[in-house]
Amino acid sequence: MPVLEIDDLRITYRGSRGDIPAVRGISLALEPGDTLGLAGESGCGKSTVAAAVLRLLPPGTEVTGRIMLHGADVLTMSWGELRAVRWAGASIVFQGAMHSLNPVHRIARQVAEPLVLHERMSWNAAEARAVQLLHQVGLPAWRARSYPHELSGGQRQRVMIAMALACSPRLIIADEATTALDVMIQAQVLRLVKDLVAKRDIALVMISHDLSVLADTCERLAVMYAGKLVEHGPAHEVFAAARHPYARALSAAFPTVGDPAERRNPSGLAGDPPDPAALPAGCSFHPRCPVVMDECRSATVGLRPARPDWHAACLHVPDPGQGPSAGAVGGDGDVADADAAHGPADPSHPSVLTKGDA
């Protein structure tokens, strides 16, 4: 049974300007031990998906579809059932640690609280365990007596990671969890997370703008744009040779260290993400796409299989049973050229769920 199964998730915020469709039909699944990276620009809906998994969205938000957590639908759970699942069944590390920690309680008590509520530990035993968890994420024992305002931004983020690990949940969602950390601590935390996933069969959803971190940490990579999945597949291969032009642009935004040419001429993606309240017709990416065709301005394209374990929502990926596309995903070769350039598929990579638009 999947730890997490999201089926045709659609989320609409109610605002003064009218309805804002933040997520527009996403389907994903994670088995125990699976690691999924979720990438995209700010405003694409990544954090909205994360909040929806544990029903943390603002009141009045319209949510349709299914979110199955350990076989139970989160959207139909009672408050008591939902409270029992949070921290123990699934936990979230938010990107704004200062807004998530209680300013009037010491760190040890906040890390210990989930253990007292869910593991039925005494406060003394829970706080002792909290010190161990803080040590695992690189904080000295004496920091357990600190208040949140006495910590740096990176230290507060490590506290949130320790809290997420406290009850050994089967699913961890890390929403920009390492953004505020320096490079050395980031490497330690990522190594810790990878070890926990491997040893405890924890499913991990890691949200980040940094595709290099996701490719290094996760087995699969999913890229969102304007509330939809535009590509998902094996992380290293998507990062190296994305099929969708948006995913390719995200990958190209990371320069090669030591390359003088890239330092003098950094690549980037022109334009801004679309207003979710006024999305363009056809493919939402077509106003910024370097390989746009006339059909892209009117056709709505779902996920298409570039390979059995790799899907992209682009007309340059041929329909099953049809010949190769005339256009090139990145402007420098078709899908077959990308496969040839990057070698044969690695059969050890797990398959990617193909649901909904796929």
Side-chain angles (χ1 to χ4, degrees), residues 24-48:
R24 301 185 295 142
I26 283 183
S27 297
L28 289 169
L30 276 82
E31 299 286 344
D34 280 357
T35 53
L36 172 70
L38 193 57
E41 292 172 288
S42 296
C44 71
K46 307 184 304 296
S47 295
T48 296

Side-chain angles (χ1 to χ4, degrees), residues 71-158:
D73 192 343
V74 172
L75 301 181
T76 61
M77 285 182 180
S78 67
W79 171 244
E81 292 170 332
L82 190 61
R83 189 165 183 242
V85 164
R86 292 174 178 172
W87 294 115
S91 59
I92 299 181
V93 182
F94 294 103
Q95 53 185 314
M98 190 61 183
H99 303 295
S100 303
L101 294 171
N102 191 321
V104 299
H105 287 304
R106 298 184 190 273
I107 294 303
R109 185 175 185 86
Q110 297 190 58
V111 177
E113 186 175 10
L115 294 167
V116 172
L117 293 175
H118 294 283
E119 304 292 333
R120 304 300 183 187
M121 286 187 177
S122 66
W123 277 106
N124 287 339
E127 292 192 6
R129 173 61 178 151
V131 172
Q132 295 175 0
L133 289 165
L134 293 173
H135 176 73
Q136 286 183 351
V137 296
L139 288 175
W142 62 271
R143 277 300 186 190
R145 301 293 298 164
S146 300
Y147 289 95
H149 71 272
E150 297 176 313
L151 305 180
S152 68
Q155 289 173 329
R156 288 193 290 266
Q157 199 69 16
R158 280 177 266 172

Side-chain angles (χ1 to χ4, degrees), residues 257-347:
V257 177
D259 187 340
E262 290 198 14
R263 185 172 67 250
R264 286 190 286 267
N265 298 291
S267 60
L269 182 60
D272 297 316
D275 182 351
L279 293 171
C283 173
S284 299
F285 185 62
H286 84 255
R288 308 171 71 190
C289 183
V291 291
V292 64
M293 301 184 296
D294 288 340
E295 190 178 354
C296 300
R297 296 180 171 90
S298 58
T300 301
V301 185
L303 290 168
R304 299 179 171 194
R307 264 186 6 210
D309 62 343
W310 192 344
H311 293 72
C314 182
L315 289 173
H316 291 289
V317 177
D319 274 326
Q322 294 185 1
S325 171
V329 173
D332 56 359
D334 58 21
V335 172
D337 293 333
D339 281 335
H342 294 276
D346 181 357

Side-chain angles (χ1 to χ4, degrees), residues 5 17 30 62 64 103 126 160 175 181 209 220 228 252 267 281 300 302 349:
E5 186 174 7
R17 295 188 302 157
L30 276 82
E62 180 182 335
T64 62
M160 291 301 301
D175 187 358
L181 306 183
H209 295 89
R220 292 188 289 148
K228 282 192 171 185
S267 60
T300 301
H349 282 288

